Amino acid sequence: MQNALTRATYKIANNDLQRMALTKEHLSQEFTDFEVVREGEFTNEVMADLPLSDHTAEELRSLGRLTGYQREWVTTVEDSLVSDGMDLAVATVIHLLVSPEAVSNWMVKVFLEEFTAKVGANLGSDHHLVSVDQFEPEEQFYDRAVGVRAMQQGSGGLVSSSVLDFRLGRLLGVVYIVTSGDQNRSKVAELLGKKLERQMVAVTVGLA
């Protein structure tokens, strides 16, 4: 039987997703000087065009994904001044799916299995995926949460991505941090994930 919070996510409309995404004020101090580079509705058509996507928009719909919203910030430091260990980007994404079961399937099949299967693949623009390592969050989330740390090799060197996915009813919350070099930002991703989860809950129950 579904609980009250899960049932409440069935009342979420597309325009609610924008209010769930974290704003600049929610970000940690290390991202103070970052600026928004991308924000808006994250449709299946937009997602299907991403380099890491192996699915058409219709296939994404068949997986139960309806739509989403994304907000991403990037560093204002010039490329020539970027050094190892410097954070390059941070983002929060909310996906709306047809059911909690569809969210769970997405987390396993799309996020974990398909992402891991891309190790060694060319991602375009002289980038290839070097490794994907799963981690279990130390923070306690309302429902299931899982993370990965991925490494990419590009013309500018190694780039690390710490990505966290968590389920809230039929919503999927995502936080990712991109860092120069072989780095691990899982702890920061978890802290931002908790902030995102609280915001998603607040909007779902009508408190934000």
Side-chain angles (χ1 to χ4, degrees):
M1 178 180 293
Q2 294 179 344
N3 59 33
L5 183 55
T6 295
R7 291 195 299 272
T9 63
Y10 282 86
K11 299 178 182 179
I12 293 296
N14 291 3
N15 57 6
D16 292 322
L17 303 182
Q18 179 177 354
R19 293 185 291 120
M20 293 181 179
L22 296 186
T23 63
K24 184 70 173 288
E25 290 70 28
H26 291 113
L27 297 183
S28 310
Q29 186 175 358
E30 57 261 51
F31 306 114
T32 300
D33 295 329
F34 279 39
E35 62 181 19
V36 171
V37 67
R38 186 180 296 109
E39 66 176 327
E41 187 177 4
F42 194 25
T43 65
N44 287 327
E45 287 72 20
V46 171
M47 189 168 190
D49 286 336
L50 295 177
L52 282 174
S53 178
D54 290 331
H55 298 283
T56 65
E58 186 56 40
E59 288 170 341
L60 293 173
R61 280 187 282 271
S62 71
L63 287 167
R65 188 181 187 275
L66 300 173
T67 189
Y69 193 90
Q70 62 177 339
R71 184 172 290 137
E72 180 181 13
W73 297 265
V74 296
T75 181
T76 55
V77 176
E78 296 181 11
D79 290 347
S80 60
L81 300 178
V82 170
S83 58
D84 191 64
M86 186 174 292
D87 292 320
L88 306 176
V90 58
T92 58
V93 185
I94 301 95
H95 302 271
L96 179 64
L97 287 89
V98 296
S99 68
E101 293 74 23
V103 175
S104 292
N105 182 66
W106 182 282
M107 292 172 73
V108 173
K109 298 296 184 182
V110 178
F111 179 51
L112 293 179
E113 293 182 3
E114 293 186 8
F115 197 11
T116 302
K118 291 183 175 67
V119 172
N122 190 331
L123 306 179
S125 301
D126 296 323
H127 279 73
H128 68 272
L129 193 59
V130 176
S131 64
V132 174
D133 298 309
Q134 181 178 341
F135 67 86
E136 293 298 325
E138 295 180 3
E139 293 287 330
Q140 184 66 45
F141 284 80
Y142 172 78
D143 200 345
R144 188 183 180 198
V146 65
V148 299
R149 176 178 169 272
M151 293 271 295
Q152 297 180 38
Q153 177 70 52
S155 57
L158 284 173
V159 175
S160 308
S161 297
S162 299
V163 190
L164 177 73
D165 277 25
F166 61 89
R167 185 176 76 165
L168 183 71
R170 67 182 187 129
L171 296 168
L172 173 65
V174 181
V175 172
Y176 65 81
I177 301 169
V178 181
T179 310
S180 177
D182 183 358
Q183 306 294 328
N184 186 343
R185 291 291 189 267
S186 59
K187 297 292 191 300
V188 181
E190 288 181 41
L191 292 175
L192 289 176
K194 289 298 296 181
K195 290 183 180 181
L196 177 59
E197 184 183 55
R198 286 193 291 270
Q199 183 67 13
M200 290 165 64
V201 169
V203 173
T204 299
V205 300
L207 296 178

